[in-house]
mmCIF file with all atom_site columns, all heavy atoms in Angstrom:
data_model
loop_
_atom_site.group_PDB
_atom_site.id
_atom_site.type_symbol
_atom_site.label_atom_id
_atom_site.label_alt_id
_atom_site.label_comp_id
_atom_site.label_asym_id
_atom_site.label_entity_id
_atom_site.label_seq_id
_atom_site.pdbx_PDB_ins_code
_atom_site.Cartn_x
_atom_site.Cartn_y
_atom_site.Cartn_z
_atom_site.occupancy
_atom_site.B_iso_or_equiv
_atom_site.pdbx_formal_charge
_atom_site.auth_seq_id
_atom_site.auth_comp_id
_atom_site.auth_asym_id
_atom_site.auth_atom_id
_atom_site.pdbx_PDB_model_num
ATOM 1  N N   . ARG G 1 11  ? 14.140 -26.275 12.937  1.00 0.00 ? 155 ARG G N   1
ATOM 2  C CA  . ARG G 1 11  ? 15.059 -25.236 13.367  1.00 0.00 ? 155 ARG G CA  1
ATOM 3  C C   . ARG G 1 11  ? 16.456 -25.793 13.546  1.00 0.00 ? 155 ARG G C   1
ATOM 4  O O   . ARG G 1 11  ? 17.446 -25.113 13.268  1.00 0.00 ? 155 ARG G O   1
ATOM 5  C CB  . ARG G 1 11  ? 14.562 -24.618 14.683  1.00 0.00 ? 155 ARG G CB  1
ATOM 6  C CG  . ARG G 1 11  ? 13.455 -23.626 14.471  1.00 0.00 ? 155 ARG G CG  1
ATOM 7  C CD  . ARG G 1 11  ? 13.070 -22.949 15.760  1.00 0.00 ? 155 ARG G CD  1
ATOM 8  N NE  . ARG G 1 11  ? 13.957 -21.873 16.118  1.00 0.00 ? 155 ARG G NE  1
ATOM 9  C CZ  . ARG G 1 11  ? 13.975 -20.683 15.538  1.00 0.00 ? 155 ARG G CZ  1
ATOM 10 N NH1 . ARG G 1 11  ? 13.160 -20.419 14.547  1.00 0.00 ? 155 ARG G NH1 1
ATOM 11 N NH2 . ARG G 1 11  ? 14.807 -19.751 15.939  1.00 0.00 ? 155 ARG G NH2 1
ATOM 12 N N   . TYR G 1 31  ? 25.917 -22.704 -9.738  1.00 0.00 ? 175 TYR G N   1
ATOM 13 C CA  . TYR G 1 31  ? 24.467 -22.556 -9.847  1.00 0.00 ? 175 TYR G CA  1
ATOM 14 C C   . TYR G 1 31  ? 24.074 -21.092 -9.837  1.00 0.00 ? 175 TYR G C   1
ATOM 15 O O   . TYR G 1 31  ? 23.225 -20.651 -10.629 1.00 0.00 ? 175 TYR G O   1
ATOM 16 C CB  . TYR G 1 31  ? 23.785 -23.304 -8.693  1.00 0.00 ? 175 TYR G CB  1
ATOM 17 C CG  . TYR G 1 31  ? 22.297 -23.135 -8.674  1.00 0.00 ? 175 TYR G CG  1
ATOM 18 C CD1 . TYR G 1 31  ? 21.492 -23.798 -9.593  1.00 0.00 ? 175 TYR G CD1 1
ATOM 19 C CD2 . TYR G 1 31  ? 21.683 -22.308 -7.754  1.00 0.00 ? 175 TYR G CD2 1
ATOM 20 C CE1 . TYR G 1 31  ? 20.122 -23.634 -9.596  1.00 0.00 ? 175 TYR G CE1 1
ATOM 21 C CE2 . TYR G 1 31  ? 20.314 -22.130 -7.745  1.00 0.00 ? 175 TYR G CE2 1
ATOM 22 C CZ  . TYR G 1 31  ? 19.539 -22.802 -8.670  1.00 0.00 ? 175 TYR G CZ  1
ATOM 23 O OH  . TYR G 1 31  ? 18.185 -22.628 -8.668  1.00 0.00 ? 175 TYR G OH  1
ATOM 24 N N   . ASP G 1 48  ? 13.627 -25.227 -13.922 1.00 0.00 ? 192 ASP G N   1
ATOM 25 C CA  . ASP G 1 48  ? 14.650 -26.240 -14.212 1.00 0.00 ? 192 ASP G CA  1
ATOM 26 C C   . ASP G 1 48  ? 15.620 -25.827 -15.303 1.00 0.00 ? 192 ASP G C   1
ATOM 27 O O   . ASP G 1 48  ? 16.189 -26.691 -15.983 1.00 0.00 ? 192 ASP G O   1
ATOM 28 C CB  . ASP G 1 48  ? 13.986 -27.581 -14.623 1.00 0.00 ? 192 ASP G CB  1
ATOM 29 C CG  . ASP G 1 48  ? 13.399 -28.282 -13.421 1.00 0.00 ? 192 ASP G CG  1
ATOM 30 O OD1 . ASP G 1 48  ? 13.906 -28.040 -12.307 1.00 0.00 ? 192 ASP G OD1 1
ATOM 31 O OD2 . ASP G 1 48  ? 12.439 -29.047 -13.590 1.00 0.00 ? 192 ASP G OD2 1
ATOM 32 N N   . CYS G 1 50  ? 18.439 -24.420 -14.743 1.00 0.00 ? 194 CYS G N   1
ATOM 33 C CA  . CYS G 1 50  ? 19.779 -24.728 -14.243 1.00 0.00 ? 194 CYS G CA  1
ATOM 34 C C   . CYS G 1 50  ? 19.738 -26.016 -13.428 1.00 0.00 ? 194 CYS G C   1
ATOM 35 O O   . CYS G 1 50  ? 20.405 -26.147 -12.396 1.00 0.00 ? 194 CYS G O   1
ATOM 36 C CB  . CYS G 1 50  ? 20.271 -23.584 -13.353 1.00 0.00 ? 194 CYS G CB  1
ATOM 37 S SG  . CYS G 1 50  ? 20.280 -22.010 -14.191 1.00 0.00 ? 194 CYS G SG  1
ATOM 38 N N   . LYS G 1 58  ? 22.971 -29.980 -4.840  1.00 0.00 ? 202 LYS G N   1
ATOM 39 C CA  . LYS G 1 58  ? 22.207 -30.745 -3.859  1.00 0.00 ? 202 LYS G CA  1
ATOM 40 C C   . LYS G 1 58  ? 22.950 -32.007 -3.439  1.00 0.00 ? 202 LYS G C   1
ATOM 41 O O   . LYS G 1 58  ? 22.948 -32.381 -2.259  1.00 0.00 ? 202 LYS G O   1
ATOM 42 C CB  . LYS G 1 58  ? 20.843 -31.112 -4.450  1.00 0.00 ? 202 LYS G CB  1
ATOM 43 C CG  . LYS G 1 58  ? 19.924 -31.723 -3.429  1.00 0.00 ? 202 LYS G CG  1
ATOM 44 C CD  . LYS G 1 58  ? 18.484 -31.589 -3.832  1.00 0.00 ? 202 LYS G CD  1
ATOM 45 C CE  . LYS G 1 58  ? 17.620 -32.220 -2.752  1.00 0.00 ? 202 LYS G CE  1
ATOM 46 N NZ  . LYS G 1 58  ? 16.277 -32.455 -3.204  1.00 0.00 ? 202 LYS G NZ  1
ATOM 47 N N   . GLU F 2 222 ? 13.092 -20.716 -10.558 1.00 0.00 ? 415 GLU F N   1
ATOM 48 C CA  . GLU F 2 222 ? 13.881 -21.772 -11.179 1.00 0.00 ? 415 GLU F CA  1
ATOM 49 C C   . GLU F 2 222 ? 13.510 -23.145 -10.642 1.00 0.00 ? 415 GLU F C   1
ATOM 50 O O   . GLU F 2 222 ? 13.453 -24.124 -11.381 1.00 0.00 ? 415 GLU F O   1
ATOM 51 C CB  . GLU F 2 222 ? 15.369 -21.492 -10.934 1.00 0.00 ? 415 GLU F CB  1
ATOM 52 C CG  . GLU F 2 222 ? 16.300 -22.171 -11.911 1.00 0.00 ? 415 GLU F CG  1
ATOM 53 C CD  . GLU F 2 222 ? 16.655 -23.590 -11.522 1.00 0.00 ? 415 GLU F CD  1
ATOM 54 O OE1 . GLU F 2 222 ? 16.724 -23.849 -10.306 1.00 0.00 ? 415 GLU F OE1 1
ATOM 55 O OE2 . GLU F 2 222 ? 16.836 -24.442 -12.407 1.00 0.00 ? 415 GLU F OE2 1
ATOM 56 N N   . ARG F 2 223 ? 13.218 -23.235 -9.351  1.00 0.00 ? 416 ARG F N   1
ATOM 57 C CA  . ARG F 2 223 ? 12.958 -24.533 -8.752  1.00 0.00 ? 416 ARG F CA  1
ATOM 58 C C   . ARG F 2 223 ? 11.512 -24.966 -8.897  1.00 0.00 ? 416 ARG F C   1
ATOM 59 O O   . ARG F 2 223 ? 11.210 -26.143 -9.034  1.00 0.00 ? 416 ARG F O   1
ATOM 60 C CB  . ARG F 2 223 ? 13.303 -24.496 -7.268  1.00 0.00 ? 416 ARG F CB  1
ATOM 61 C CG  . ARG F 2 223 ? 14.777 -24.521 -6.952  1.00 0.00 ? 416 ARG F CG  1
ATOM 62 C CD  . ARG F 2 223 ? 15.391 -25.890 -7.188  1.00 0.00 ? 416 ARG F CD  1
ATOM 63 N NE  . ARG F 2 223 ? 15.937 -26.036 -8.522  1.00 0.00 ? 416 ARG F NE  1
ATOM 64 C CZ  . ARG F 2 223 ? 15.960 -27.186 -9.211  1.00 0.00 ? 416 ARG F CZ  1
ATOM 65 N NH1 . ARG F 2 223 ? 15.460 -28.283 -8.692  1.00 0.00 ? 416 ARG F NH1 1
ATOM 66 N NH2 . ARG F 2 223 ? 16.491 -27.214 -10.415 1.00 0.00 ? 416 ARG F NH2 1
ATOM 67 N N   . GLN F 2 274 ? 13.571 -12.825 11.962  1.00 0.00 ? 467 GLN F N   1
ATOM 68 C CA  . GLN F 2 274 ? 12.596 -13.483 12.820  1.00 0.00 ? 467 GLN F CA  1
ATOM 69 C C   . GLN F 2 274 ? 12.800 -13.077 14.272  1.00 0.00 ? 467 GLN F C   1
ATOM 70 O O   . GLN F 2 274 ? 11.838 -12.829 15.009  1.00 0.00 ? 467 GLN F O   1
ATOM 71 C CB  . GLN F 2 274 ? 12.746 -14.992 12.675  1.00 0.00 ? 467 GLN F CB  1
ATOM 72 C CG  . GLN F 2 274 ? 11.629 -15.781 13.294  1.00 0.00 ? 467 GLN F CG  1
ATOM 73 C CD  . GLN F 2 274 ? 11.858 -17.263 13.094  1.00 0.00 ? 467 GLN F CD  1
ATOM 74 O OE1 . GLN F 2 274 ? 12.972 -17.758 13.167  1.00 0.00 ? 467 GLN F OE1 1
ATOM 75 N NE2 . GLN F 2 274 ? 10.792 -17.971 12.845  1.00 0.00 ? 467 GLN F NE2 1
ATOM 76 N N   . ASP F 2 292 ? 14.705 -27.194 -1.102  1.00 0.00 ? 485 ASP F N   1
ATOM 77 C CA  . ASP F 2 292 ? 15.446 -26.954 -2.348  1.00 0.00 ? 485 ASP F CA  1
ATOM 78 C C   . ASP F 2 292 ? 15.503 -25.474 -2.662  1.00 0.00 ? 485 ASP F C   1
ATOM 79 O O   . ASP F 2 292 ? 16.523 -24.947 -3.117  1.00 0.00 ? 485 ASP F O   1
ATOM 80 C CB  . ASP F 2 292 ? 14.761 -27.686 -3.512  1.00 0.00 ? 485 ASP F CB  1
ATOM 81 C CG  . ASP F 2 292 ? 15.053 -29.174 -3.500  1.00 0.00 ? 485 ASP F CG  1
ATOM 82 O OD1 . ASP F 2 292 ? 15.779 -29.622 -2.590  1.00 0.00 ? 485 ASP F OD1 1
ATOM 83 O OD2 . ASP F 2 292 ? 14.570 -29.874 -4.396  1.00 0.00 ? 485 ASP F OD2 1
#
Side-chain angles (χ1 to χ4, degrees):
Chain G
R155 281 185 81 75
Y175 176 75
D192 285 334
C194 303
K202 188 158 180 195
Chain F
E415 202 275 328
R416 285 287 92 212
Q467 191 180 38
D485 283 0

